[in-house]
Amino acid sequence: MSKKTRKKSSKGSAKTPAKTPAKSPAKTPAKKSAHKTIPAKAARSGSKAPVKTPAAKAGKVVAKKSGTAAKGALTKESHKPASKSLKSKPSTAPKPDLTPIPEAAAKPDSKPGLVSGRVEGAKAPSFQLPRDGGDSVSLADYAGRKLVLFFYPRADTPGCTREAIDFTRLKDAFAESGTAVLGISADTVKAQESFRDKHQLSIPLISDEKHEMLEAYGAWGEKSMYGRTFLGILRTTVLIGKDGKIAKIWRNVRVDGHADEVLATAQGL
């Protein structure tokens, strides 16, 4: 064999093994796996819609059946008669009467037989109560005469003392006008007598411990002092005419000058 022939054969043998590894066997399985993962329909249409598997079809069938059953149940319930609505009866309670009523009608007397003395023009409530000295006094004792009743909270207190002294000072002037004067409180007879003697009072003082006369003339009610509310005597004066009817009522009396004002009213009656 010649040298040229040996050189060619050596070159050829060297090239043959070099070309073999250039052809990578990994390319072949990659192409095959790509063809296997892409479905034929999806490859042709290019759509990305999910493949309908037998399990998915079975799920849809079950869903359709359950939906049909639910519709059937609703249809059965819809055929049931609707419950009758309860009609509420209209209220038969009478509407309140908002017409204002006189105080005498709103607050009836606590004792039967007494006509309210809380409004002017009404008949004066009758009474018969003990007075200082041990005697008793009644409305009938002053029939045909004018009569002043001054209600005071408590004997021998500053305001009540000034008021009683003022009426005592004007006693003769009241008598000249045909008017008698009586003082009334809830004090005991003994307390009234001490009050009379201490201040030399000359007008009768009536003891109304049960508040019967006080309530009948509207001189007993709610009071407040130092933030405290309580029931007590409301300083009040009532002038009764000869006809036995109430001519004038003074509420929440202020002591200073009050007796003179009452006298002027009695003189003009």
Side-chain angles (χ1 to χ4, degrees), residues 8-267:
K8 287 180 181 180
S9 61
S10 61
K11 285 180 182 179
S13 59
K15 287 179 181 178
T16 303
K19 288 180 180 179
T20 305
K23 293 180 182 179
S24 176
K27 289 182 181 180
T28 304
K31 288 180 181 179
K32 289 180 180 179
S33 62
H35 286 295
K36 287 180 181 179
T37 53
I38 300 172
K41 290 182 180 179
R44 285 196 298 270
S45 61
S47 63
K48 296 182 180 180
V51 181
K52 295 180 181 179
T53 61
K57 291 180 180 180
K60 283 189 176 182
V61 173
V62 173
K64 285 182 180 180
K65 288 182 179 180
S66 61
T68 307
K71 287 181 180 179
L74 291 174
T75 306
K76 288 180 181 179
E77 289 183 1
S78 64
H79 286 297
K80 292 181 180 179
S83 59
K84 294 182 180 179
S85 59
L86 298 176
K87 295 182 180 180
S88 58
K89 295 183 179 180
S91 177
T92 56
K95 294 182 179 179
D97 186 6
L98 301 179
T99 306
I101 57 177
E103 187 181 359
K107 298 179 180 179
D109 298 303
S110 59
K111 188 174 181 180
L114 293 179
V115 180
S116 177
R118 297 186 176 98
V119 292
E120 297 176 359
K123 185 179 179 181
S126 60
F127 59 87
Q128 184 171 1
L129 293 168
R131 55 158 290 184
D132 60 304
D135 295 333
S136 63
V137 179
S138 66
L139 180 63
D141 297 338
Y142 301 93
R145 298 172 61 187
K146 290 179 284 186
L147 177 64
V148 171
L149 306 173
F150 72 94
F151 300 89
Y152 56 95
R154 189 173 180 181
D156 204 20
T157 54
C160 299
T161 300
R162 294 202 315 271
E163 186 178 17
I165 289 174
D166 284 346
F167 276 110
T168 297
R169 174 176 55 84
L170 298 173
K171 179 182 177 182
D172 293 340
F174 276 107
E176 289 176 4
S177 66
T179 306
V181 180
L182 298 175
I184 305 98
S185 73
D187 297 293
T188 63
V189 173
K190 186 177 180 179
Q192 299 287 37
E193 291 175 349
S194 299
F195 184 37
R196 176 201 63 191
D197 296 341
K198 182 177 180 180
H199 301 285
Q200 299 178 355
L201 304 175
S202 60
I203 54 176
L205 302 177
I206 297 176
S207 176
D208 184 18
E209 295 184 71
K210 295 181 179 179
H211 313 147
E212 293 177 355
M213 185 179 179
L214 291 165
E215 291 182 15
Y217 282 89
W220 179 266
E222 188 177 277
K223 301 175 67 174
S224 61
M225 183 179 292
Y226 305 116
R228 186 172 62 92
T229 303
F230 58 94
L231 292 176
I233 298 175
L234 308 172
R235 196 182 299 276
T236 306
T237 300
V238 178
L239 173 61
I240 302 173
K242 294 180 180 180
D243 57 357
K245 294 182 179 180
I246 295 175
K248 179 72 175 178
I249 299 177
W250 288 266
R251 304 284 186 191
N252 303 316
V253 169
R254 292 189 176 184
V255 173
D256 296 337
H258 175 61
D260 294 276
E261 182 184 354
V262 176
L263 174 61
T265 305
Q267 289 173 341

